Amino acid sequence: MNRRSFLGGVSRSGEVGSGAVGFEYLPGIFADDERWTNAHRTRPKGEISPTPSGQPLATTAGLEPYVPTNESPWDRRRAYHLLRRTGYAADPAAINVALSGNPKAAVDAIVDAALAARFPATPDWINHPPPPDNAPPDEVQVFHDLNDLWLYETETEFYQESLAILQAGTGLRERLTLFWHDHFVTSLESTRTAAWLYRYWAILRKNALGDFKQFVHEIGITPAMLFYLNGDDNRVGEPNENYARELMELFTMGIEGPDGAPNYTQMEIEELARVLTGWSVDLYDTLEAVFVPEWHDNENKTVFGQAGNWGYDDLTTLLFTQRSESIAHFIAAKLYRFFVYEIASSEIVDELATLLLASDFRIEPVVRTLLQSAHFFDDVVIGARIKSPCDLVLGLAVEAGFDVNPAVFIEFRQGTRLLGQRLYSPPNVAGWPGYHNWVDESSLPARWLHADDFLPKQRTLQELALAMPNPYAIDVLVADFVRHFLPVQLSQRAINSLVALVLNGLPPYEWNPNDQGAEGRLFSLVRHLVQLPEYQLT
């Protein structure tokens, strides 16, 4: 596939050797065009999933700190809510730790642990270059086999790190890493090279709670992003607008500002594309992004009314001085939708945006303030989000108590893919549509089947029962299991029916969680709970 034809423009290819056509990735150095460009991701202008319509949650609670009261106590229900939204779920021990202090301390512990979380050791293979175009087929095949193994290791590492919520509550960083992957979207199909995927993921991890301005600067010259949105094809005289458009529309400010006025024009997309010219990727040596001065447009460009011979290092200054309020509102709204509810509260977003501006676009203070707020802990917020496939698969693993081993990671990988969230492969540059799109007439039965397949592989539900406050009183235990697996409360009548399901004719006074038959009874209870509509919420 010819790269320029793919983009609907004029071809830019060169001669390689005796008549071979290729893509010039560094001055005078060519690579096979088909090999490196046949999976670039583009979309027609304006094609973007619409923002869900509807009403925000009916609450008057704001960003003032949550202070427990008799009507809004700091109890197991709210502790579960906090740990579900900042991790994927919680085991009873984590709930007990959270309840041992006040809610502010619980949030501080989660955020502080995420800030201090260790990063996985960097694998040696991220510096292993692909074989050259003229390499023997056997050498190419060996690299492909190794690359597939490295890709699998990278994906497995995400699931392993995500389950760190079971160890000191550090799951928030991995959860936010996935959030930013769904924001600064790239796709595995754009390179199929593990080294670039790993470097991209490392940038998401590092900046997950950091300086958003620095985040924007780093992500644009990540090889994975340069490949995905054709930044490596953006050169003087032939500017490619893909990244410039998505940078403004999806990554920073959105189409309109908080006042409804347009944030940019088509002319500014064109001018910003010229600012971004000159970047490529060293395909066979350093594997890093490379700036090629002769491919950069050195004429003046006018962006947001500011004229100058702007280059990449001027990018964040242009964006964050000329459109700071729009960026703050856009990012605040995305964080709100991730942690609270899909239909954002304009009042809360305004306050979060103000805080983001005041913190000079540091993400951590905004996340901490939101998670400690009365708004976040309001009754109507609990159970108001729909589980993503990762929420469902990883949450069930935590809730039911799985041994963390390589076989389980294979299950995670298969489960999230089958349920519509293939890691590293969002459907387009706008990310996974999420919300109501996660559950329909075909995906809901698939979720049930996943649970049916997965549940028999847990360690033991008797172990979970014995970790509950009162496992010997069957009515109390069932209520605790409901609270453990479901984010919303069931009626007493429904709980009574579940007690009868567990006992199955056994007198309540004969219930003993240590008995041999208790495991099967608890399995019936959990299998029923995970098939309830309420289990699809978080």
Side-chain angles (χ1 to χ4, degrees):
M1 177 184 295
N2 183 282
R3 160 180 302 246
R4 296 305 300 174
S5 297
F6 181 71
L7 294 174
V10 179
S11 177
R12 175 185 48 73
S13 55
E15 295 298 317
V16 187
S18 57
V21 178
F23 153 55
E24 188 180 20
Y25 69 93
L26 289 175
I29 304 176
F30 296 83
D32 176 66
D33 200 45
E34 178 76 15
R35 180 177 178 185
W36 292 106
T37 67
N38 61 0
H40 274 54
R41 192 69 182 169
T42 59
R43 68 177 176 90
K45 298 176 185 178
E47 180 187 301
I48 182 172
S49 300
T51 301
S53 60
Q55 296 298 317
L57 297 172
T59 172
T60 58
L63 287 183
E64 67 276 6
Y66 162 57
V67 178
T69 64
N70 290 335
E71 294 75 25
S72 180
W74 177 230
D75 54 9
R76 298 183 76 82
R77 178 169 174 253
R78 283 182 170 79
Y80 272 112
H81 167 64
L82 172 62
L83 293 179
R84 286 187 181 110
R85 295 291 177 91
T86 56
Y88 293 96
D91 63 6
I95 294 298
N96 292 337
V97 170
L99 290 174
S100 65
N102 58 51
K104 179 183 183 302
V107 172
D108 282 339
I110 289 169
V111 177
D112 291 346
L115 291 171
R118 57 138 182 92
F119 291 94
T122 302
D124 293 338
W125 51 255
I126 69 163
N127 297 314
H128 192 301
D133 285 347
N134 60 356
D138 288 350
E139 183 180 343
V140 174
Q141 187 59 53
V142 167
F143 177 81
H144 284 321
D145 292 343
L146 286 171
N147 187 66
D148 286 344
L149 174 63
W150 299 333
L151 288 169
Y152 172 74
E153 289 177 358
T154 301
E155 191 167 357
T156 297
E157 184 183 86
F158 162 74
Y159 296 117
Q160 184 174 358
E161 294 301 314
S162 294
L163 288 182
I165 188 66
L166 295 174
Q167 303 167 355
T170 58
L172 175 61
R173 182 178 287 274
E174 288 306 303
R175 191 160 173 76
L176 277 169
T177 300
L178 181 60
F179 163 75
W180 290 117
H181 171 41
D182 197 27
H183 177 79
F184 291 117
V185 171
T186 69
S187 176
L188 175 61
E189 283 72 21
S190 64
T191 65
R192 291 295 305 173
T193 304
W196 289 312
L197 176 64
Y198 195 95
R199 294 173 192 211
Y200 157 74
W201 201 258
I203 286 176
L204 300 182
R205 265 197 187 116
K206 183 185 76 170
N207 292 289
L209 283 161
D211 181 341
F212 186 68
K213 292 188 293 184
Q214 181 65 23
F215 205 166
V216 170
H217 183 271
E218 290 185 21
I219 203 71
I221 49 176
T222 304
M225 184 64 77
L226 287 169
F227 282 125
Y228 184 64
L229 289 176
N230 308 95
D232 61 326
D233 197 31
N234 184 19
R235 303 177 187 181
V236 59
E238 297 182 88
N240 186 299
E241 299 173 8
N242 282 0
Y243 185 68
R245 178 178 294 105
E246 311 306 0
L247 175 63
M248 293 191 286
E249 181 176 340
L250 296 176
F251 297 166
T252 57
M253 65 190 73
I255 297 173
E256 296 179 347
D259 60 356
N263 278 324
Y264 56 88
T265 65
Q266 173 60 28
M267 182 62 71
E268 279 163 332
I269 293 174
E270 295 169 6
E271 292 290 279
L272 189 59
R274 295 175 57 214
V275 172
L276 301 172
T277 51
W279 286 90
S280 189
V281 179
D282 188 334
L283 301 180
Y284 298 119
D285 187 10
T286 67
L287 305 183
E288 298 285 0
V290 178
F291 180 68
V292 183
E294 58 263 44
W295 289 349
H296 176 66
D297 187 330
N298 279 306
E299 299 298 323
N300 277 3
K301 308 100 181 169
T302 302
V303 182
F304 309 133
Q306 308 301 303
N309 183 14
W310 310 122
Y312 192 85
D313 288 343
D314 303 304
L315 174 67
T316 52
T317 300
L318 286 168
L319 292 173
F320 287 89
T321 57
Q322 301 303 314
R323 293 294 185 271
S324 58
E325 289 191 7
S326 291
I327 295 173
H329 276 80
F330 187 74
I331 299 305
K334 290 208 73 167
L335 288 168
Y336 180 94
R337 292 197 295 271
F338 178 69
F339 282 112
V340 183
Y341 183 59
E342 193 69 26
I343 313 301
S345 161
S346 59
E347 293 82 4
I348 301 299
V349 169
D350 285 347
E351 293 183 59
L352 292 174
T354 299
L355 179 59
L356 192 56
L357 288 167
S359 68
D360 197 23
F361 286 92
R362 288 176 54 238
I363 301 163
E364 171 267 319
V366 177
V367 171
R368 194 185 298 266
T369 298
L370 179 59
L371 294 178
Q372 290 179 337
S373 70
H375 188 85
F376 177 78
F377 284 104
D378 193 273
D379 274 327
V380 299
V381 172
I382 301 174
R385 297 191 74 247
I386 296 173
K387 286 178 179 174
S388 70
C390 280
D391 288 332
L392 184 93
V393 170
L394 292 170
L396 182 59
V398 175
E399 291 159 351
F402 284 81
D403 287 316
V404 178
N405 59 63
V408 169
F409 296 138
I410 293 173
E411 296 269 3
F412 293 160
R413 183 171 179 260
Q414 293 173 340
T416 52
R417 286 185 176 195
L418 288 172
L419 298 180
Q421 192 173 24
R422 184 184 178 191
L423 202 62
Y424 312 129
S425 296
N428 57 50
V429 70
W432 291 288
Y435 194 39
H436 290 152
N437 297 282
W438 285 134
V439 179
D440 57 27
E441 63 275 8
S442 61
S443 62
L444 184 57
R447 288 177 172 225
W448 295 337
L449 288 172
H450 169 77
D452 272 353
D453 180 60
F454 213 26
L455 275 175
K457 301 170 185 175
Q458 90 286 340
R459 288 197 299 267
T460 166
L461 291 172
Q462 286 173 278
E463 183 179 328
L464 174 62
L466 291 169
M468 294 295 180
N470 189 355
Y472 295 91
I474 186 58
D475 55 337
V476 176
L477 179 62
V478 168
D480 283 337
F481 262 57
V482 168
R483 190 179 297 109
H484 180 73
F485 284 94
L486 304 182
V488 295
Q489 295 174 313
L490 299 182
S491 68
Q492 188 59 50
R493 180 179 178 181
I495 291 177
N496 292 342
S497 296
L498 292 172
V499 171
L501 174 71
V502 174
L503 292 174
N504 193 25
L506 184 75
Y509 54 82
E510 290 189 12
W511 163 256
N512 187 332
N514 295 298
D515 285 348
Q516 185 176 2
E519 184 68 26
R521 296 176 187 277
L522 292 170
F523 179 85
S524 296
L525 170 63
V526 173
R527 185 174 184 272
H528 182 84
L529 290 175
V530 299
Q531 291 193 358
L532 291 175
E534 290 85 352
Y535 187 72
Q536 306 308 320
L537 304 175
T538 185

Coordinates of all heavy atoms in Angstrom, one line a residue, residues 25 72 92 110-111 141 281 298 306 326 346 358-359 404 424 440 531-532:
Y25 N 12.3 7.0 5.6 CA 12.1 7.2 7.0 C 13.2 8.1 7.6 O 12.9 8.7 8.7 CB 11.9 5.9 7.8 CG 13.2 5.1 7.9 CD1 14.0 5.2 9.1 CD2 13.5 4.1 7.0 CE1 15.1 4.4 9.2 CE2 14.6 3.3 7.1 CZ 15.4 3.5 8.3 OH 16.5 2.7 8.4
S72 N -25.3 9.5 55.6 CA -24.2 9.2 54.7 C -23.0 8.6 55.4 O -22.0 9.3 55.4 CB -23.9 10.4 53.8 OG -22.9 10.1 52.9
P92 N -12.1 -8.5 51.2 CA -12.6 -8.0 52.5 C -11.4 -7.4 53.3 O -11.7 -6.4 54.1 CB -13.1 -9.3 53.2 CG -13.5 -10.2 52.1 CD -12.6 -9.9 50.9
I110 N -4.7 5.6 48.8 CA -4.8 5.1 47.4 C -4.0 6.0 46.5 O -3.2 5.5 45.6 CB -6.2 5.0 47.0 CG1 -6.9 3.9 47.8 CG2 -6.4 4.8 45.5 CD1 -8.5 3.9 47.6
V111 N -4.1 7.3 46.5 CA -3.4 8.2 45.6 C -1.9 8.2 45.9 O -1.1 8.1 45.0 CB -4.0 9.6 45.7 CG1 -3.2 10.6 44.8 CG2 -5.5 9.6 45.3
Q141 N 11.6 -14.3 10.3 CA 10.7 -15.1 11.1 C 11.0 -15.2 12.6 O 10.2 -15.2 13.4 CB 10.6 -16.5 10.5 CG 9.6 -17.4 11.1 CD 8.2 -16.8 10.9 OE1 7.8 -16.5 9.8 NE2 7.4 -16.7 12.0
V281 N 10.9 8.2 12.6 CA 11.3 7.2 13.6 C 12.5 6.4 13.0 O 12.4 6.0 11.8 CB 10.1 6.2 13.9 CG1 10.6 5.1 14.9 CG2 8.9 7.0 14.5
N298 N 10.1 25.7 8.0 CA 10.7 26.8 8.8 C 10.2 28.1 8.5 O 10.7 29.2 8.8 CB 12.3 26.8 8.5 CG 13.0 25.8 9.4 OD1 12.8 25.8 10.6 ND2 13.7 24.9 8.7
Q306 N -1.3 33.6 16.9 CA 0.1 33.9 17.3 C 1.0 33.5 16.1 O 1.0 32.3 15.7 CB 0.5 33.1 18.5 CG -0.4 33.3 19.7 CD -0.5 34.7 20.1 OE1 0.5 35.3 20.4 NE2 -1.7 35.3 20.2
S326 N -10.2 26.0 27.9 CA -10.9 24.9 27.1 C -10.2 23.6 27.4 O -10.9 22.6 27.6 CB -10.8 25.2 25.6 OG -11.6 26.3 25.3
S346 N -22.0 20.0 34.9 CA -21.2 21.2 34.5 C -20.7 21.9 35.7 O -19.6 22.5 35.6 CB -22.1 22.1 33.6 OG -23.3 22.5 34.4
A358 N -5.3 26.0 38.4 CA -4.6 26.5 39.6 C -3.4 25.6 39.9 O -2.4 26.1 40.4 CB -5.5 26.5 40.8
S359 N -3.5 24.3 39.6 CA -2.3 23.4 39.8 C -1.4 23.4 38.6 O -0.5 22.5 38.6 CB -2.9 22.0 40.1 OG -3.5 21.5 38.9
V404 N -3.1 -15.7 41.4 CA -2.5 -14.9 40.3 C -1.4 -15.7 39.7 O -0.4 -16.0 40.3 CB -1.9 -13.6 40.8 CG1 -1.3 -12.8 39.7 CG2 -3.1 -12.7 41.5
Y424 N -4.8 -2.4 23.8 CA -3.9 -1.9 22.8 C -4.6 -1.8 21.4 O -3.9 -1.4 20.4 CB -2.6 -2.7 22.6 CG -1.9 -3.0 23.9 CD1 -1.5 -4.2 24.2 CD2 -1.6 -1.9 24.8 CE1 -0.8 -4.5 25.4 CE2 -1.0 -2.2 26.0 CZ -0.6 -3.5 26.3 OH 0.0 -3.8 27.5
D440 N -25.1 -5.1 25.5 CA -26.3 -5.3 24.6 C -26.7 -6.7 24.6 O -26.3 -7.5 25.4 CB -26.0 -4.7 23.2 CG -24.8 -5.5 22.6 OD1 -24.5 -6.6 23.0 OD2 -24.1 -4.9 21.7
Q531 N -25.1 -12.8 37.5 CA -26.0 -12.8 36.4 C -27.1 -11.7 36.6 O -27.9 -11.5 35.7 CB -26.6 -14.2 36.1 CG -25.6 -15.2 35.6 CD -26.3 -16.4 35.1 OE1 -27.5 -16.6 35.1 NE2 -25.5 -17.3 34.6
L532 N -27.1 -11.1 37.7 CA -28.1 -10.0 38.0 C -27.7 -8.8 37.2 O -26.5 -8.5 37.0 CB -28.2 -9.7 39.5 CG -28.7 -10.7 40.4 CD1 -28.6 -10.2 41.8 CD2 -30.2 -11.0 40.1

